[in-house]
C-alpha cells in the first residue's frame, strides 16, 4: 500500500462551469442563486394560481344573493387561505425569486454571500407552504382570517387544528424570510463589484436591500405574537384572554407592527422592478434617482409608525388615532414622489410599449387608485365607515394586485428573456395585459360601491333585498376574465419556453450589468468581475453617457459586455462552491419538527413530558444536518 507520503493530495479542481449540471438531484442540491431564484419563482407562481383559484370559488359563491354553493365554514377557510396564500406563499416568495435571480447579477457578483443558507431558506419556505396546505387534506384548513385576531384564535373559539396549521406554518415561513434577508443584506454590502458605490446601485437592488432590512425588523413582531398564541393554545396561558388578565388587543398591536410594514415589503420590490423597466423603455435614466432612493428609505421608516391605522375602530382614543392618522398621511408624500418620478422619467422620453412597459405603467395607474383610497382610510371617521367593508377589499387589491402583481408580471416579461434565453411573444403579451387590466378593474372597482353601500367583508352570502346582487355579478364576471388572463399568460410562458426567439445578451438595450452577460447567464455569471465606473454602466459603455441615447459610440473605453464575451470565449476556470444537500436536510428537519407540533402522536412519554416522535426525529435531523453543513468543505 502506497505510504501516506504518496497519498495524492486532494486539490479542489477548478470547475469548468459553462454548462450547469442537469437532473433533479442537481436542483435539490443546488446552491446557485439563479436556480434558487427560479425555484422560488416557479413554486410561488403555483401558489399564485392556487390563491387565484380560491378567490374564484369565493366569487362563485358571491355571484348571486343567498347562494348555497359553499358553506359558511368552507367560506371562512377559503378567504383565510386565499389571503394567507397570496401574501406569504405567492407574492413574498415571487419577490424572493427576483431578489435571488437579479440582485447578484446587478451588483456584479457570482452569487450571494451564503449560498447554502440561501438554499436552506428556499426549502424551509417549501416546507412551510406544505404545512399550511396539507390542512385541506385533514379538512382543517385555517379559518380565522389572514390576520388571525384573538380571542377567535384561542382554543375556546377555535378548538380544532385549523389555527395551528396557520400558526406553525407562518412561523416556519418566518425562518425562511429571515434567513434570506440576512443573506441579501450581507451580499449587497460585501459582494459589490469594484466601483459599484451605493449610489451607483441599480434601484431594484436598493429595493432588495431596504425590503430585506424591513423583513429583519418586522418579522420578529409576528414571531413573538405567534409564540404567545402557541403558549395560549398548547400550554393554556392567557396572553390574549381577558379572563386570564391578558388582552386581545396585544395580538392586534403585535400583528400590525409586522402587518403594515409587510404591505410595504410586498409593494416596494414591485416599485423597484418598474423603476428598472420605465427608464429602459423611455430611453432616459430614472428621473431623480437619489430622491427615489431616499423616498424608499422614508417609506420603509415611516411604515413602522402607522400600524394602529388598522385599529381605528377598537377604541384607542382620539390622541392615538390622530397620531396614527397623521403618520399614515405622511407616508403618502414619499409614495407621491415615486409616482412623480416615474412620470418624470417618461416625460419627453421615446416610449416603447412592450408588455413589460405596459404592466409597469399599469402599476403606476392602478396603484394611484389604491393609494388614494388608502389616504381616505387615514381619516378616522371615514375609516369608521369603511373598515371591514368591501371598500377595504377594493383598496388592498388595488395596491397588492394593481401594484405588486402588475409589477411582478412586468418583471417576468422584462427579465424572463435573461433567465430563459428566449423572448415572450409580445402580441400574446399585449392580450395578456389588456385582459388583466380590464378583468382587474371589473373585479375590484365595483367593490368600492359595494363597500360604500355597506357590504361587509367575510360574509359568505347576502340578502336578496340588499341590492348588492348586480354589482356582485359584475365583480364575479370580472374575476373570471382575470382568471382567463392567467391562462393566456400560461400559454405565453409555454410558447416562450418551447418556441421563443433567442433573446441574446441584451434584448432591450438596457443599462445594468445583468445585460452584459449571456442569456441565460453561465453558472459563474461573470467570467471576469466587472469594474463599475458609472450608474447605468452599460449605457455609459454603449453610448458614452448614461442617457441611453444612441448618438455617440465610445470606442476607447473597454466595454463590460465585450470583456465578458472575450473572457467567456476563453473558457475560464471559475471556482464555485460545491452543491450540497445539507440545506435541504436541515430544512426537512425543521419541517418535521413543525409537523410534530401538529401531529402529537405517536409520542414518547417520560413523566409529564409528552415528546411526539416527529419532534424528536425533526430535531435530530436538524442538529445533524447543521453540524454536517458546518464541517462540509465548501469546495
Ligand atoms: C386573482 C384575483 C383575486 C380575486 C378575484 C380576489 C378576491 C378576493 C375577495 C372577493 C376577497 C374577500 C373575501 C371576503 O372578505 O369575503 C379577498 C380577500 C383577500 N384577498 Fe384577494 N383576490 C385576488 C387576488 C389577491 C391578491 C393578488 C392578493 C395579494 C396579496 C390578495 C389578498 C387578499 C387578502 C389578504 C384578503 C383578505 C382575506 C381575509 O379577510 O382574511 N387577493 N380577495
Ligand atoms: Cu396598514
Amino acid at each position: 500500500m502506497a505510504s501516506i507520503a504518496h497519498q495524492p493530495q486532494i486539490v479542489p479542481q477548478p470547475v469548468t462551469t459553462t454548462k450547469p449540471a442537469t437532473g433533479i438531484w442537481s436542483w435539490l442540491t443546488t446552491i446557485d442563486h439563479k436556480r434558487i431564484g427560479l425555484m422560488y419563482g416557479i413554486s410561488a407562481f403555483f401558489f399564485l394560481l392556487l390563491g387565484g383559484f380560491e378567490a374564484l370559488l369565493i366569487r362563485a359563491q358571491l355571484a348571486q344573493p343567498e347562494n348555497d354553493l359553499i358553506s359558511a365554514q368552507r367560506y371562512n377557510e377559503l378567504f383565510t387561505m386565499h389571503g394567507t396564500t397570496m401574501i406569504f406563499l405567492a407574492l413574498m416568495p415571487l419577490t424572493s425569486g427576483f431578489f435571488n435571480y437579479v440582485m447578484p447579477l446587478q451588483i456584479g457578483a457570482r452569487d450571494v454571500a451564503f449560498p447554502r443558507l440561501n438554499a436552506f431558506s428556499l426549502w424551509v419556505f417549501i416546507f412551510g407552504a406544505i404545512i399550511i396546505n396539507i390542512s385541506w387534506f385533514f379538512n382543517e384548513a385555517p379559518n380565522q382570517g389572514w390576520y388571525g385576531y384573538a380571542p377567535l384564535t384561542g382554543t375556546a373559539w377555535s378548538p380544532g387544528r385549523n389555527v395551528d396549521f396557520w400558526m406553525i406554518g407562518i412561523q416556519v415561513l418566518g425562518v425562511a424570510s429571515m434567513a434570506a434577508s440576512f443573506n441579501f443584506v450581507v451580499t449587497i454590502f460585501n459582494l459589490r463589484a469594484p466601483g459599484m458605490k451605493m449610489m451607483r446601485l441599480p434601484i431594484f437592488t436598493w429595493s432588495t436591500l431596504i425590503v430585506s432590512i424591513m423583513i429583519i425588523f418586522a418579522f420578529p413582531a409576528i414571531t413573538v405574537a405567534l409564540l404567545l398564541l402557541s403558549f395560549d393554545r398548547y400550554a393554556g396561558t392567557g396572553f390574549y384572554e381577558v379572563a386570564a388578565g391578558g388582552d386581545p388587543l396585544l395580538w392586534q398591536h403585535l400583528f400590525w407592527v409586522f402587518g403594515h410594514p409587510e404591505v410595504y415589503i410586498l409593494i416596494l420590490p414591485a416599485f423597484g422592478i418598474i423603476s428598472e423597466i420605465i427608464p429602459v423603455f423611455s430611453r432616459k435614466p430614472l428621473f431623480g434617482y437619489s430622491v427615489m432612493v431616499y423616498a424608499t428609505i422614508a417609506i420603509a421608516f415611516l411604515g413602522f409608525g402607522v400600524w394602529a391605522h388598522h385599529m381605528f375602530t377598537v377604541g384607542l382614543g382620539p390622541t392615538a388615532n390622530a397620531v396614527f392618522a397623521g403618520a399614515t398621511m405622511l407616508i403618502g408624500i414619499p409614495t407621491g414622489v415615486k409616482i412623480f418620478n416615474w412620470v418624470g422619467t417618461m416625460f419627453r422620453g421615446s416610449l416603447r410599449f412592450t408588455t413589460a412597459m405596459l404592466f409597469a405603467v399599469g402599476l403606476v395607474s392602478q396603484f394611484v387608485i389604491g393609494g388614494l383610497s388608502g389616504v381616505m382610510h387615514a381619516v378616522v371617521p371615514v375609516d369608521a365607515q369603511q373598515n371591514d367593508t368591501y371598500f377595504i377589499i377594493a383598496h388592498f387589491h388595488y395596491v397588492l394586485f394593481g401594484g405588486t402583481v402588475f409589477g411582478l408580471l412586468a418583471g417576468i416579461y422584462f427579465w424572463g428573456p435573461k433567465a430563459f434565453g428566449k423572448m415572450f411573444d409580445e402580441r400574446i403579451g399585449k392580450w395578456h395585459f389588456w385582459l388583466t387590466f380590464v378583468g382587474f378593474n371589473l373585479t375590484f372597482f365595483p367593490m368600492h360601491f359595494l363597500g360604500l353601500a355597506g357590504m361587509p367583508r367575510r360574509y359568505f352570502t347576502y340578502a336578496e333585498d340588499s341590492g348588492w346582487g348586480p354589482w356582485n355579478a359584475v365583480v364575479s364576471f370580472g374575476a373570471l376574465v382575470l382568471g382567463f388572463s392567467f391562462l393566456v399568460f400560461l400559454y405565453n410562458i409555454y410558447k416562450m419556453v418551447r418556441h421563443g426567439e433567442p433573446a441574446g445578451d441584451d434584448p432591450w438595450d438596457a443599462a445594468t450589468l445583468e445585460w452584459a452577460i449571456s442569456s441565460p447567464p453561465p453558472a459563474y455569471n461573470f467570467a471576469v468581475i466587472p469594474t463599475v465606473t458609472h450608474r447605468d454602466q452599460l449605457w455609459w459603455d454603449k453610448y458614452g453617457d448614461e442617457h441611453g441615447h444612441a448618438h455617440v459610440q465610445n470606442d476607447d473605453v473597454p466595454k463590460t459586455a465585450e470583456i465578458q464575451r472575450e473572457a467567456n470565449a476563453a473558457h475560464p476556470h471559475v471556482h464555485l462552491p460545491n452543491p450540497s444537500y445539507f440545506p435541504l436536510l436541515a430544512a426537512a428537519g425543521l419541517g418535521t419538527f413543525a409537523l410534530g407540533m401538529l401531529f402529537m402522536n405517536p409520542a414518547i412519554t417520560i413523566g409529564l413530558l409528552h415528546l411526539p416522535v416527529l419532534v424528536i426525529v425533526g430535531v435530530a435531523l436538524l442538529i445533524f444536518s447543521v453540524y454536517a453543513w458546518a464541517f462540509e468543505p465548501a469546495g
Side-chain angles (χ1 to χ4, degrees):
M1 189 185 79
S3 75
I4 290 287
H6 299 298
Q7 283 290 350
Q9 292 300 313
I10 301 175
V11 181
Q13 295 307 310
V15 186
T16 309
T17 54
T18 348
K19 291 264 164 297
T22 52
I24 180 82
W25 188 245
S26 76
W27 286 87
L28 290 176
T29 58
T30 189
I31 51 166
D32 176 344
H33 72 98
K34 298 179 290 301
R35 287 185 155 204
I36 291 172
L38 286 174
M39 288 195 274
Y40 260 118
I42 292 163
S43 43
F45 190 70
F46 164 75
F47 286 114
L48 183 72
L49 296 177
L50 179 63
F53 175 67
E54 288 158 350
L56 286 179
L57 291 177
I58 290 173
R59 287 314 319 171
Q61 167 63 17
L62 294 173
Q64 57 185 34
E66 298 176 23
N67 200 353
D68 58 0
L69 181 71
I70 290 169
S71 71
Q73 169 57 22
R74 189 67 75 203
Y75 188 87
N76 294 346
E77 292 171 359
L78 278 171
F79 69 65
T80 304
M81 287 298 274
H82 163 72
T84 303
T85 301
M86 283 298 192
I87 289 181
F88 292 103
L89 307 182
L91 270 54
M92 278 193 80
L94 258 170
T95 302
S96 295
F98 279 105
F99 287 172
N100 252 303
Y101 199 99
V102 176
M103 180 271 288
L105 299 178
Q106 287 202 325
I107 64 172
R110 291 217 162 98
D111 210 310
V112 294
F114 311 114
R116 288 174 294 177
L117 182 69
N118 205 18
F120 171 75
S121 67
L122 167 76
W123 298 118
V124 171
F125 150 62
I126 302 277
F127 279 105
I130 292 170
I131 287 170
I132 292 179
N133 278 285
I134 56 169
S135 60
W136 284 116
F137 300 103
F138 293 91
N139 202 13
E140 289 180 291
N143 56 1
Q144 76 295 324
W146 87 274
Y147 46 69
Y149 275 6
L152 173 63
T153 48
T155 47
W157 302 98
S158 299
R161 285 184 300 189
N162 310 65
V163 171
D164 301 313
F165 279 103
W166 178 80
M167 177 177 79
I168 291 170
I170 306 276
Q171 281 292 41
V172 171
L173 293 171
V175 175
S177 295
M178 290 296 265
S181 301
F182 279 111
N183 217 334
F184 296 141
V185 172
V186 174
T187 304
I188 294 169
F189 281 127
N190 294 293
L191 297 188
R192 281 168 288 133
M196 180 65 89
K197 297 180 183 151
M198 292 304 283
M199 289 315 266
R200 285 182 182 159
L201 279 180
I203 201 86
F204 177 73
T205 293
W206 263 114
S207 313
T208 308
L209 177 64
I210 294 165
V211 167
S212 300
I213 293 172
M214 287 186 80
I215 289 174
I216 290 167
F217 280 95
F219 264 78
I222 191 171
T223 306
V224 169
L226 289 166
L227 212 56
L228 298 181
L229 181 62
S230 330
F231 287 137
D232 278 14
R233 292 186 61 81
Y234 286 107
T237 54
F239 289 101
Y240 304 123
E241 298 293 335
V242 175
D247 185 347
L249 287 190
L250 171 64
W251 170 269
Q252 294 195 28
H253 281 295
L254 285 173
F255 181 86
W256 289 117
V257 164
F258 150 79
H260 188 86
E262 171 66 9
V263 302
Y264 285 108
I265 287 165
L266 292 171
I267 194 66
L268 287 176
F271 285 175
I273 291 173
I274 69 163
S275 299
E276 295 284 341
I277 292 172
I278 291 177
V280 168
F281 297 116
S282 307
R283 308 312 299 164
K284 277 175 59 183
L286 185 65
F287 182 87
Y289 166 91
S290 322
V291 176
M292 268 304 220
V293 172
Y294 301 136
T296 311
I297 295 170
I299 290 174
F301 179 74
L302 289 169
F304 281 89
V306 296
W307 77 89
H309 67 211
H310 295 270
M311 301 164 66
F312 279 156
T313 55
V314 303
L316 294 179
T319 315
N321 281 354
V323 169
F324 283 100
T328 305
M329 292 175 192
L330 210 54
I331 243 178
I333 299 170
T335 315
V337 164
K338 281 185 173 283
I339 290 159
F340 181 82
N341 285 15
W342 290 319
V343 175
T345 306
M346 289 187 270
F347 183 68
R348 292 219 176 108
S350 42
L351 305 184
R352 189 158 51 114
F353 284 101
T354 58
T355 311
M357 183 64 164
L358 282 172
F359 274 111
V361 177
L363 183 158
V364 178
S365 63
Q366 303 305 287
F367 186 83
V368 167
I369 297 173
L372 289 175
S373 59
V375 177
M376 288 166 72
H377 297 322
V379 181
V380 177
V382 173
D383 182 70
Q385 290 301 319
Q386 292 162 182
N387 196 22
D388 275 348
T389 74
Y390 258 78
F391 197 94
I392 297 278
I393 303 289
H395 161 69
F396 66 67
H397 284 92
Y398 267 89
V399 287
L400 291 179
F401 196 117
T404 305
V405 175
F406 271 55
L408 294 169
L409 292 172
I412 294 172
Y413 277 102
F414 186 61
W415 281 302
K418 176 53 61 181
F420 295 94
K422 296 178 177 174
M423 300 299 283
F424 279 99
D425 181 316
E426 276 292 312
R427 200 176 44 79
I428 300 174
K430 297 211 165 69
W431 271 103
H432 172 213
F433 171 75
W434 287 111
L435 279 167
T436 308
F437 190 86
V438 172
F440 172 75
N441 281 288
L442 267 181
T443 307
F444 295 106
F445 206 83
M447 286 183 182
H448 291 105
F449 310 140
L450 286 167
L452 292 175
M455 184 175 174
R457 63 188 290 186
R458 294 181 169 177
Y459 279 37
F460 83 110
T461 189
Y462 49 96
E464 181 81 47
D465 59 9
S466 64
W468 300 331
W471 276 129
N472 270 294
V474 172
V475 168
S476 295
F477 172 71
L480 272 181
V481 175
L482 208 44
F484 180 66
S485 76
F486 274 94
L487 294 180
V488 172
F489 185 39
L490 283 172
Y491 173 65
N492 208 1
I493 293 173
Y494 163 78
K495 196 154 184 272
M496 180 270 287
V497 172
R498 295 300 304 272
H499 311 293
E501 294 295 314
D505 298 4
D506 184 10
W508 313 121
D509 189 7
T512 41
L513 292 179
E514 70 268 32
W515 305 104
I517 52 180
S518 64
S519 306
Y524 49 73
N525 298 351
F526 299 91
V528 184
I529 297 294
T531 301
V532 174
T533 55
H534 291 78
R535 199 183 297 153
D536 294 339
Q537 182 68 42
L538 261 62
W539 276 353
W540 177 258
D541 281 353
K542 288 182 267 185
Y543 305 114
D545 71 14
E546 292 150 320
H547 294 293
H549 294 156
H551 56 74
V552 286
Q553 279 297 359
N554 187 330
D555 294 326
D556 56 4
V557 178
K559 312 222 173 349
T560 313
E562 280 144 23
I563 293 169
Q564 298 303 327
R565 265 195 296 278
E566 280 155 27
N568 262 323
H571 295 296
H573 290 299
V574 177
H575 178 62
L576 288 175
N578 292 334
S580 169
Y581 51 79
F582 291 121
L584 173 60
L585 272 190
L590 183 66
T592 309
F593 163 74
L595 279 175
M597 300 302 289
L598 288 158
F599 302 96
M600 291 273 186
N601 293 305
I604 296 167
T605 307
I606 308 160
L608 285 179
L609 211 56
H610 179 85
L611 276 178
V613 171
L614 283 175
V615 167
I616 300 170
V617 172
V619 171
L621 185 56
L622 184 60
I623 294 172
F624 162 74
S625 7
V626 170
Y627 183 79
W629 168 350
F631 290 95
E632 174 187 39

